[in-house]
């Protein structure tokens, strides 16, 4: 009898997961490593899924430096480099952090600043990132179309002190949200 109950629980759980997955809106973002020379190398993807609690960002990334990384939505769907006074800004064509309400504040995913501020991305010692992060202030995928998803070299303290924009530094991976 116990075995039969366990089997029924597993079947009903699988059915529920299938139903939620089938009804949830989702989109996959292809992510590429970017550099100053304009070289682009695939590093995986991030699945964006609508949930009742906000948009869930589920990475499936590889070949990234281990540690915590700034993870943001940027204002333009363009991962190209820009050059100003002979200085190359990697993925500079993506513009700044997405801030549709023009708050000009960097307060993280739970603050009232940039809507593009996401929880930091954790990359394991083997260079993979698979731990999902939730953006509770982004309610549906229609809000993020036409933006870029960015991974920065350093961590992000979600403050402008001691370093501007959380200290994430250079952009190392970028994907287009179409």
């Amino acid at each position: 009898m116990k075995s039969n109950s366990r089997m029924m629980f597993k079947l009903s759980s699988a059915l529920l997961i299938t139903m939620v997955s089938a009804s949830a809106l989702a989109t996959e973002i292809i992510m590429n490593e970017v550099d100053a020379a304009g070289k682009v190398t695939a590093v995986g993807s991030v699945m964006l899924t609508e949930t009742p609690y906000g948009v869930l960002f589920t990475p499936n990334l590889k070949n990234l430096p281990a540690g915590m990384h700034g993870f943001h939505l940027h204002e333009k769907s363009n991962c190209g480099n820009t050059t100003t006074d002979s200085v190359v800004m990697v993925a500079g064509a993506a513009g700044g952090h997405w801030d549709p309400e023009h708050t000009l504040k960097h307060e993280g995913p739970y603050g009232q600043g940039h809507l593009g501020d996401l929880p930091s991305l954790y990359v394991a010692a083997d260079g993979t990132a698979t731990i999902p992060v939730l953006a509770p202030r982004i309610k549906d995928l229609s809000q993020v179309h036409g933006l870029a998803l960015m991974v920065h070299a350093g961590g992000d303290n979600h403050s402008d002190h001691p370093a501007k924009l959380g200290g994430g530094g250079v952009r190392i991976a970028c994907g287009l949200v179409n």
Side-chain angles (χ1 to χ4, degrees), residues 31-33 41-46 59-66 121-124 126-130 151 172-173:
M31 298 294 291
N32 293 294
E33 180 179 16
T41 306
V43 293
S45 65
V46 177
N60 184 15
L61 302 172
K62 61 183 181 187
N63 300 324
L64 295 174
L121 179 72
Y122 172 73
V123 177
D126 66 358
T128 62
T130 58
V151 178
I172 62 170

Side-chain angles (χ1 to χ4, degrees), residues 20-32:
V20 169
S21 298
S23 65
L25 291 176
T27 189
E28 183 177 29
I29 309 306
I30 303 303
M31 298 294 291
N32 293 294

Side-chain angles (χ1 to χ4, degrees), residues 1-93:
M1 189 77 152
K2 260 187 180 175
S3 178
N4 196 18
S5 295
R6 262 191 235 152
M7 187 171 161
M8 289 303 293
F9 176 75
K10 286 181 182 178
L11 286 173
S12 61
S13 295
L15 181 60
L16 179 61
I17 290 169
T18 302
M19 287 170 41
V20 169
S21 298
S23 65
L25 291 176
T27 189
E28 183 177 29
I29 309 306
I30 303 303
M31 298 294 291
N32 293 294
E33 180 179 16
V34 291
D35 69 15
K39 182 180 174 194
V40 176
T41 306
V43 293
S45 65
V46 177
M47 184 65 70
L48 279 59
T49 308
E50 288 182 9
T51 78
Y53 310 102
V55 172
L56 185 67
F57 290 71
T58 305
N60 184 15
L61 302 172
K62 61 183 181 187
N63 300 324
L64 295 174
M68 298 302 286
H69 295 272
F71 196 38
H72 306 104
L73 287 164
H74 283 245
E75 58 193 356
K76 298 174 187 161
S77 185
N78 188 334
C79 293
N81 293 344
T82 57
T83 304
T84 304
D85 297 328
S86 300
V87 176
V88 175
M89 180 171 196
V90 176

